[in-house]
Amino acid sequence: MPPDQFASKGLRVPSGRLSRIARFGNMATGIAGSMLLDGARQLANGRRPTVGELLMTPANAMRVTLQLGKMRGAAMKLGQLISMDTGDFLPPELTDIFARLRADAQHMPPAQLNMVMTRHWGKDWRAQFIRFDDQPLAAASIGQVHRALTLDQQDVAVKIQYPGVRRSIDSDVDNVAALLRLSNVLPKTLDITILLAEAKRQLHQEADYAREGAYLMQFGELLRDAPEYAVPAYYAPLSSKNVLAMSFIDSVPIESMIGAPQADRDRIMTLLIELVVRELFEFRLMQTDPNFANYRYAPETQQVVLLDFGATRALPKAMVAQYQSLLNMGVAGDKDGVLAAVLDIGFMNAQTVQQNRREIDKLIAAAIDMIQQPGPFDFSRTDFITDMRDEGMTIAADRRNWHIPPSDTLFVQRKLGGVFLLASRLKARVDVNRILARYL
């Protein structure tokens, strides 16, 4: 694979509805042509491939990934979510390709950036800054971030939304859903209507930078007495629904700490697991996007830096009470109680339990072992990660088990899973039992 295909070169974001539909059309045409050639080749060899097999080839996955990366917006965001949630269940040759959607996107070229900024602040927009760095610090699915120095000497990070993102959300979600249905990845019995509606609602909220700014300030206040965390300060003079300005915090990607001393990695993950537990049981307010890029580390101050509050979600009291019951049963070692709580939360249904009781019992036993163990739990334990993945893959392999949990449960589980995945990546040792004990 040429190494520069995913490089951030500066590529115009297709902002019009027709131009985005055309992108999907071109992608579909290219995939259809590839399917015809692959199908003819396999038929000539005496094999009758399924439509799903022809669609989900590495070449077609590359086409989808490149196009979604170029389109950005909701199309790329959904691709990122799919890659994070299904990465362990994809064929190995596809895992790396889809994982690339979690990397930085291509940023806007200077001309388009100037057009967007002129629309927000007028032709003399640069007059508001002593310095504005044209090269972005980061480019993601919905916007890109630039560092700047304001006239009042504030060192700020300015997040600028790509043009057309908000008005293209609904059609992007529908088009990606159509691609999933065509691929036969989803069983026909799985009704994703509610999930698609929730995805659209969530993405519209994430595209509202005024809403994110409010949550940025709220988390800053919630963690005001916790100096181990750093939340950027909201900078109101430059912020709007499409632009979010905040104080710049010098930091490094959280994943770069994989080479840090064990004590540093243990401390970082202890702070992150403590935070997600506080979000669930204390704040009842959770930043639900598990993307590792939302966490950084400031070596000089030894603070965990928290970014991107667009996916913040208020949690219903009833659901928090369900997780409280799950926690109590788990710490008590009550396997049947844990299973009843899992069913009550809606993370799986009775049919799945009936068909895969052995695998589910093993998953519950592994989770109980983690939270009951006195002292630090070693997330680098290969047996723990392997067992959880293997049992989960066995359950997921039977499409009859595919089930869409309630939306609040789905987002909480994604966040919990993302934090534990990061703990595994950093090979951290965390006293999970001690963290949870205060919430029993």
Side-chain angles (χ1 to χ4, degrees), residues 94-374:
L94 302 186
T95 301
D96 180 61
I97 294 173
F98 278 108
R100 290 176 182 268
L101 276 176
R102 300 200 298 271
D104 283 351
Q106 294 175 322
H107 58 80
M108 290 183 285
Q112 189 174 34
L113 171 65
N114 185 67
M115 178 195 73
V116 171
M117 301 300 263
T118 299
R119 186 179 300 158
H120 290 311
W121 292 325
K123 291 183 179 180
D124 296 329
W125 63 269
R126 287 185 184 271
Q128 301 179 89
F129 303 97
I130 296 173
R131 187 194 74 249
F132 184 94
D133 295 348
D134 288 331
Q135 186 68 24
L137 294 168
S141 55
I142 291 178
Q144 61 190 48
V145 182
H146 294 257
R147 187 177 182 181
L149 184 64
T150 65
L151 294 179
D152 57 354
Q153 300 289 329
Q154 297 296 311
D155 190 2
V156 295
V158 183
K159 183 158 74 168
I160 302 157
Q161 189 169 124
Y162 298 132
V165 161
R166 190 176 293 108
R167 64 175 177 267
S168 67
I169 286 172
D170 291 354
S171 59
D172 274 9
V173 171
D174 289 338
N175 284 318
V176 173
L179 185 65
L180 286 173
R181 289 191 181 101
L182 176 64
S183 70
N184 202 32
V185 167
L186 302 176
K188 291 181 174 59
T189 55
L190 188 68
D191 184 4
I192 61 172
T193 305
I194 296 177
L195 183 61
L196 293 177
E198 180 58 32
K200 292 175 182 178
R201 188 180 77 87
Q202 179 73 30
L203 288 165
H204 276 291
Q205 289 180 346
E206 289 191 47
D208 184 350
Y209 285 178
R211 176 182 180 275
E212 181 180 349
Y215 279 124
L216 176 70
M217 290 188 287
Q218 187 170 354
F219 265 86
E221 183 62 26
L222 287 169
L223 296 171
R224 182 166 52 89
D225 296 326
E228 304 87 357
Y229 306 97
V231 179
Y234 179 66
Y235 187 75
L238 294 178
S239 297
S240 67
K241 195 168 186 177
N242 298 311
V243 176
L244 176 59
M246 67 201 87
S247 60
F248 173 81
I249 300 177
D250 197 13
S251 57
V252 297
I254 203 80
E255 285 183 276
S256 70
M257 298 302 291
I258 193 169
Q262 183 72 52
D264 291 346
R265 287 179 278 131
D266 295 347
R267 177 178 175 274
I268 288 169
M269 281 315 310
T270 296
L271 288 172
L272 287 175
I273 291 176
E274 284 179 341
L275 176 61
V276 75
V277 172
R278 290 189 72 187
E279 287 177 313
L280 177 58
F281 293 119
E282 186 178 333
F283 304 159
R284 286 198 293 109
L285 185 73
M286 184 175 285
Q287 188 286 96
T288 62
D289 186 348
N291 194 326
F292 296 162
N294 296 335
Y295 307 113
R296 295 178 68 86
Y297 186 69
E300 287 192 10
T301 60
Q302 297 185 329
Q303 292 173 301
V304 172
V305 181
L306 308 175
L307 302 175
D308 199 338
F309 293 90
T312 300
R313 196 177 188 92
L315 305 179
K317 286 184 179 179
M319 190 199 70
V320 173
Q322 290 173 320
Y323 273 95
Q324 182 76 62
S325 176
L326 175 63
L327 172 61
N328 290 338
M329 297 299 176
V331 172
D334 184 346
K335 295 180 182 179
D336 290 336
V338 168
L339 181 56
V342 166
L343 288 170
D344 185 42
I345 290 171
F347 192 62
M348 63 179 65
N349 56 30
Q351 175 181 307
T352 302
V353 174
Q354 185 177 3
Q355 292 172 343
N356 298 91
R357 184 60 187 261
R358 185 189 67 81
E359 290 83 6
I360 291 170
D361 284 346
K362 289 186 71 173
L363 284 172
I364 290 174
I368 288 176
D369 176 56
M370 176 182 68
I371 64 177
Q372 277 192 327
Q373 177 177 306

Side-chain angles (χ1 to χ4, degrees), residues 38-50 53-54:
D38 290 344
R41 189 179 302 114
Q42 293 193 43
L43 285 171
N45 292 329
R47 188 173 180 275
R48 296 181 65 86
T50 66
E53 288 173 335
L54 291 174

